[in-house]
Amino acid sequence: MLSQSTIDIVKSTAPLIAEAGPSLTAHFYDRMFKHHPELKDVFNITHQETGSQREALFNAVYGYASNIDNIEVLLPVVEKIAQKHTSFSITAEQYQIVGTHLLATIDELMSPGQAVLDAWAEAYGLLANIFINREEEIYQQTEQQVGGWRGTREFKVIEKTPESNVITSFVLEPVDGQPVINYQPGQYIGVYLNSDKLEFQEIRQYSLSDAPNGQTYRISVKREDQGVASNYLHSHVNVGDSVQLAPPAGDFFLTTQSNTPIALISAGVGLTPMLSILESIKSTHQAPIHWLHAADNTERHGFKDRIADLAQTTAHLNQYSWYKESSSNEADFSGLMDLSQIQDDINWQETDFYLCGPVVFMQHVAKQLIALKVAEAQIHYECFGPHKVL
C-alpha cells in the first residue's frame, strides 16, 4: 500500500499533469524511443504519429494520479489494458523501461523536486506490479488451456476472401497442426507482421469474426487508407503465407444470458466482433437478437449476404441497415443510424446493447440509447485502437 504522504503528493501534482497535457506523453515517447528504438517493434507508430496513443497514455496517467487514493475505480481500465498488453507480449522488464522514462519526463518538464519524484516512483511501482501480476495470470491461464500458448505461434493463411470492397477475411490455421484455444465471442487476436516491406514489426489486434471451432481463427480486416498493417495484409499476405499470432484476448465479449434480448450495433468493420457473437449464439439464444448496422454504401457493406441468410433461417433475428450514401431502397434506411426509426421494434429497457465502430458513431448511438432511457450498465462497447470513454 502507498503511504499517505505519497498519496497526498501524487494527488497534489495531478493538476500539473493536466496542465502539461499530451505534451507530457509526447516527450515521454520521444525520449523512450530514442533510448530504446527496439520498442518501435512493439508500439503502433501510426498511433504515435496521429497522437491517439499519446492522448490515451495522458488520460491514463492523469486518471491514475486523480484516483490514487481509490484505485478500485481504475480496475476495469486496468483489465482492458492488461488484456491488450498480453497480445503485445509485454514483459515486466518493459515496465521498468517505461517507469524510468516516465519519471525522467516528469523531472525534465516540471522539475518538481526529489520528494515528488520519489512519490511518483512509489506510485508507478504499485501500478506496474498490478499490471505485471494480472498479465502473468492471463498468460498462465491462456497457455494452460487446451490449444493455448504463451507469446506467439506460427499460423498459415488457408483462405483469403473479399467480404466487401474494403474488407477481406483471412482464415488462419496453426502450422503445428495442434488445436487452438477457444475464445469468448467478441475478443480479438494479436497479429505480428514482419517483412522487409515493413520498416518495423507491426502488431495489430483484429477481432475474431466467426464462432470458435478449436481448429482455426478468422479475422476480417478493413483496408485503411493510411493503414500500414491492413494494406500489407490485403496486398502481400496470401493463401499459404505465414504470420505469428498471440492468443485471443480482450475484455469485450458477450455476457448476456440467453433469455435476455440483445442488440448488436455496428458501423463499418465494427461488425466483426458482432458477427462472432451472432455466429456463436444464433442457434442457442432464446430471446430476440437485433442486428443494426451502418455502412457508407452497399459496396462497403461487409457480410451483407451472410446476415441476410441468417435473418432468413433464424426466427428471432431482426436486421436493420443504414447507408450513409444511399437514396434508394438498397438499405432499410438512409443517412446516419436513427434509432427512432425502429423505436417500436425493440424493448429498450429489457435489452442489452453491444456497440462497435468509429468512436463518433458509438457516441452518436450511445446518446440515443440514453435518451431512450437505456441504463448505462446495459451498454457495452469496443474501441478499435486506444480506448476512449463514450
Side-chain angles (χ1 to χ4, degrees):
M1 295 298 294
L2 299 176
S3 65
Q4 188 59 48
S5 62
T6 292
I7 292 173
D8 293 341
I9 290 173
V10 171
K11 282 187 71 71
S12 70
T13 54
L16 294 177
I17 298 296
E19 185 177 343
S23 63
L24 180 143
T25 46
H27 184 94
F28 158 76
Y29 278 118
D30 291 343
R31 190 183 202 283
M32 184 175 68
F33 288 144
K34 179 180 178 180
H35 288 81
H36 293 276
E38 73 278 4
L39 292 180
K40 292 183 178 181
D41 283 337
V42 177
F43 288 85
N44 185 327
I45 301 303
T46 300
H47 286 163
Q48 296 296 321
E49 293 171 349
T50 62
S52 59
Q53 184 62 57
R54 300 179 179 204
E55 179 186 355
L57 179 60
F58 166 75
N59 291 336
V61 171
Y62 178 69
Y64 181 50
S66 302
N67 293 280
I68 192 69
D69 54 348
N70 187 21
I71 293 180
E72 286 74 16
V73 303
L74 300 175
L75 292 182
V77 177
V78 168
E79 180 64 16
K80 184 176 294 291
I81 295 173
Q83 291 283 340
K84 184 67 70 73
H85 281 181
T86 62
S87 70
F88 283 105
S89 302
I90 296 298
T91 66
E93 291 73 21
Q94 289 167 333
Y95 277 100
Q96 295 177 3
I97 293 172
V98 168
T100 295
H101 292 283
L102 179 61
L103 293 172
T105 295
I106 293 173
D107 188 25
E108 291 166 2
L109 293 186
M110 303 177 182
S111 302
Q114 195 59 47
V116 171
L117 293 175
D118 289 345
W120 270 91
E122 183 183 352
Y124 175 80
L126 173 65
L127 184 63
N129 283 332
I130 291 173
F131 276 111
I132 290 168
N133 292 335
R134 175 57 187 142
E135 287 160 22
E136 180 59 27
E137 287 179 354
I138 296 171
Y139 287 134
Q140 291 188 18
Q141 291 168 0
T142 300
E143 68 179 334
Q144 290 169 5
Q145 294 184 51
V146 174
W149 71 96
R150 179 190 286 244
T152 61
R153 183 175 170 189
E154 186 177 5
F155 282 68
K156 65 180 177 180
V157 179
I158 61 171
E159 295 178 27
K160 182 178 180 180
T161 307
E163 308 292 357
S164 76
N165 67 355
V166 291
I167 299 173
T168 294
S169 288
F170 300 82
V171 177
L172 303 155
E173 180 180 71
V175 171
D176 60 21
Q178 298 301 306
V180 298
I181 187 173
N182 280 333
Y183 52 89
Q184 298 278 10
Q187 288 188 307
Y188 51 77
I189 199 158
V191 180
Y192 289 58
L193 303 174
N194 290 277
S195 170
D196 56 10
K197 294 181 174 63
L198 300 170
E199 184 177 3
F200 306 107
Q201 172 178 259
E202 299 290 344
I203 306 174
R204 297 293 187 274
Q205 289 77 35
Y206 292 112
S207 294
L208 292 149
S209 62
D210 205 350
N213 61 33
Q215 301 298 320
T216 61
Y217 296 128
R218 186 179 73 182
I219 58 173
S220 302
V221 180
K222 178 187 176 186
R223 184 196 288 269
E224 302 288 353
D225 291 341
Q226 304 300 319
V228 175
S230 66
N231 276 282
Y232 177 79
L233 282 165
H234 275 248
S235 299
H236 301 292
V237 177
N238 297 303
V239 172
D241 292 336
S242 295
V243 296
Q244 298 288 325
L245 300 185
D251 70 333
F252 175 81
F253 48 81
L254 181 70
T255 57
T256 302
Q257 298 298 312
S258 64
N259 58 355
T260 299
I262 63 170
L264 306 175
I265 306 177
S266 61
V269 77
L271 58 73
T272 51
M274 304 305 173
L275 187 58
S276 177
I277 293 173
L278 180 59
E279 294 284 9
S280 300
I281 66 169
K282 61 182 184 287
S283 300
T284 58
H285 202 77
Q286 301 167 11
I289 303 171
H290 306 285
W291 177 273
L292 285 65
H293 182 65
D296 287 341
N297 49 53
T298 188
E299 289 79 15
R300 286 176 170 253
H301 188 168
F303 295 97
K304 178 182 178 180
D305 292 341
R306 176 57 180 163
I307 299 302
D309 289 344
L310 288 174
Q312 290 292 324
T313 58
T314 308
H316 53 289
L317 173 61
N318 309 301
Q319 70 153 333
Y320 310 88
S321 59
W322 284 259
Y323 285 173
K324 183 178 179 181
E325 301 169 359
S326 172
S327 59
S328 65
N329 59 357
E330 292 176 326
D332 296 304
F333 306 102
S334 297
L336 301 179
M337 185 176 289
D338 182 354
L339 300 183
S340 69
Q341 294 170 309
I342 57 170
Q343 187 165 344
D344 296 334
D345 298 346
I346 296 178
N347 186 334
W348 301 95
Q349 283 70 53
E350 301 298 326
T351 300
D352 282 353
F353 297 86
Y354 293 82
L355 283 61
C356 190
V359 170
V360 66
F361 164 79
M362 292 193 292
Q363 291 171 334
H364 170 70
V365 172
K367 183 178 180 179
Q368 294 180 70
L369 291 174
I370 297 301
L372 288 163
K373 296 183 170 44
V374 174
E376 289 189 23
Q378 295 169 240
I379 303 173
H380 315 272
Y381 66 97
E382 175 80 323
C383 291
F384 290 164
H387 182 69
K388 293 180 181 291
V389 177
L390 297 188

